[in-house]
Amino acid sequence: MQVITTRAELQAWSDAERAAGRRVGLVPTMGALHAGHLSLVETVRAHADRVVVSIFVNPTQFNDPADFEGYPRVMEDDLEACREAGVDVVWTPRVEELYPDGAPVWVEVEGLSEPLCGQNRPGHFRGVTTVVTKLFLAARPHVAAFGEKDWQQLALIRRMTDALGFGIEILGGKTVREPDGLALSSRNVHLGPVGRKQALRISESLSLAQQRIDDGERSRSVLLEAVRKKLGEATQARIDYAEFRDPATLELAPERLEGPTLLAIALQFAPDPDGQGADVRLIDNRVLEVR
Ligand code: PAF
C-alpha cells in the first residue's frame, strides 16, 4: 500500500493507472475509520481495479472550531485498517495543499444544502462540496462511494457530480450498525455510557416509523408525533431535527405519505450527568417503504 501526501503525486499515480486501462475508485473519509468506511472500500472495489482512500479532516465543513479540534485523529490505526482491507493508496493531504491561499474558491449546491443539517450548520455543506471537488480533481476516480447514513450529503454530491459533469459514478453504501442498531460514526466515541444507551432511541425511531407505516399509518404528522415521543426518551439529547422528506429532492413529504419517504434525524447530545462523554451530534436516516 502506498501512502501519498501531495496532490501532484496522486494525480500522476491516477493518470498512470487510467492510461493502463485500470479503473480507479475513491473512498473519501475524515479518518477514524470504522466498519462503515471499510464497507465503502468493498463497495468501490466491486467497481474498480484500484482503491484510493483519502484521509483528511476538512476544516471548512466544521462550523464549530471545538468540533474540528476534538474530531478523532488516529492515523496509525487508520493506515493499518487500510492495509488490512487491501487498499492500494491512502492519500493524506495537508491543509495547505488543499487550501493553499487566503482567497477561497467555493463549490456550493443551492437548495439541497438548505434544509436539515444545512439549517443549524451554516457553511457545512459548502465545505463538503468544495473539498469533495478537490478530492475528485486530485484522485481522478471513475467511481466514488459515500455512506447513506449521511443521506443529505450523498444527495448533494450526486447533484454536484451531475451538474459539474465530473463523469464519476457515485455509489451509496448501506449504513453499517452496531448489533444494537446504533449507526456507526466516528463521533460515537464521544458518547458517555448514558448517552450511548440513549442514542439507541434514534434507530428505534426509524424502525418505529416503518412499523407504524406497515400497520397502515400514512399521516406524516401522526408519525412525526410518535417519532418525537420516542426521541424524547433520550433525556441527554435535544432534537435538532426529525423530518419526513422526499429522498431525492429533500422536499417536505406530503401530509399523506404516498411513496418511499426519507426519515431524517439529528440529535445533539450533552455530556453525561457525571461529566463523562462530550457534546456530540448524531445523525441517522432511513428511506421508509410506503406501499
Ligand atoms: O463524510 C465524510 O466523512 C466527509 O464529509 C467527507 C465526504 C469525507 C468530506 O470531507
Side-chain angles (χ1 to χ4, degrees):
M1 183 180 85
Q2 285 188 64
V3 179
I4 293 180
T5 51
T6 69
R7 176 156 50 184
E9 208 187 329
L10 183 66
Q11 282 170 340
W13 174 86
S14 183
D15 286 350
E17 292 297 329
R18 295 179 75 109
R22 286 189 280 270
R23 281 173 60 83
V24 174
L26 173 68
V27 179
T29 81
M30 296 206 298
L33 302 181
H34 51 63
H37 296 111
L38 300 177
S39 105
L40 293 178
V41 168
E42 292 313 311
T43 301
V44 157
R45 203 200 307 278
H47 293 77
D49 305 299
R50 296 282 183 262
V51 180
V52 181
V53 170
S54 62
I55 300 180
F56 179 67
V57 185
N58 173 37
T60 64
Q61 70 187 76
F62 289 83
N63 42 339
D64 173 3
D67 190 20
F68 174 64
E69 288 308 322
Y71 201 83
R73 289 165 173 85
V74 285
M75 187 58 87
E76 285 314 312
D77 293 352
D78 287 347
L79 292 178
E80 191 47 38
C82 287
R83 229 172 257 122
E84 275 176 22
V87 169
D88 297 287
V89 168
V90 175
W91 184 40
T92 59
R94 287 180 311 119
V95 173
E96 305 79 61
E97 177 104 36
L98 290 189
Y99 297 101
D101 56 42
V105 174
W106 298 111
V107 178
E108 188 157 13
V109 178
E110 291 182 0
L112 282 181
S113 61
E114 284 151 27
L116 304 174
C117 288
Q119 274 183 340
N120 289 337
R121 302 189 70 192
H124 165 68
F125 284 123
R126 186 181 73 166
V128 170
T129 42
T130 298
V131 81
V132 170
T133 297
K134 290 168 188 256
L135 300 174
F136 281 176
L137 291 172
R140 299 180 177 164
H142 295 84
V143 57
F146 299 83
E148 288 183 354
K149 184 181 84 66
D150 300 310
W151 187 272
Q152 186 176 15
Q153 169 174 282
L154 176 60
L156 273 151
I157 289 168
R158 284 193 200 285
R159 173 78 59 87
M160 174 188 85
T161 304
D162 198 33
L164 298 183
F166 276 116
I168 298 170
E169 186 185 355
I170 304 297
L171 305 171
K174 292 266 165 278
T175 304
V176 180
R177 298 180 181 279
E178 298 281 6
D180 62 7
L182 180 68
L184 295 193
S185 161
S186 307
R187 296 176 196 272
N188 290 350
V189 294
H190 294 314
L191 290 166
V194 175
R196 172 65 182 78
K197 257 192 206 144
Q198 294 192 358
L200 290 184
R201 300 295 96 79
I202 305 175
S203 53
E204 287 170 5
S205 301
L206 298 174
S207 306
L208 173 73
Q210 184 65 64
Q211 189 56 58
R212 296 287 299 269
I213 289 169
D214 292 347
D215 292 346
E217 185 58 67
R218 291 290 180 275
S219 161
R220 186 191 68 205
S221 37
V222 170
L223 289 164
L224 187 57
E225 204 185 315
V227 164
R228 293 188 74 95
K229 188 161 172 240
K230 172 60 76 185
L231 292 173
E233 293 170 12
T235 49
Q236 276 311 108
R238 170 178 67 70
I239 302 175
D240 189 355
Y241 60 72
E243 296 186 26
F244 291 90
R245 292 197 167 247
D246 181 286
T249 64
L250 301 185
E251 279 166 19
L252 205 59
E255 169 53 26
R256 187 180 161 73
L257 302 188
E258 272 155 12
T261 302
L262 176 71
L263 173 52
I265 293 175
L267 288 196
Q268 179 71 48
F269 282 81
D272 285 0
D274 66 0
Q276 290 193 74
D279 288 320
V280 50
R281 187 169 174 282
L282 299 185
I283 68 176
D284 204 347
N285 288 279
R286 176 164 172 178
V287 178
L288 304 166
E289 289 174 30
V290 183
R291 291 199 193 86

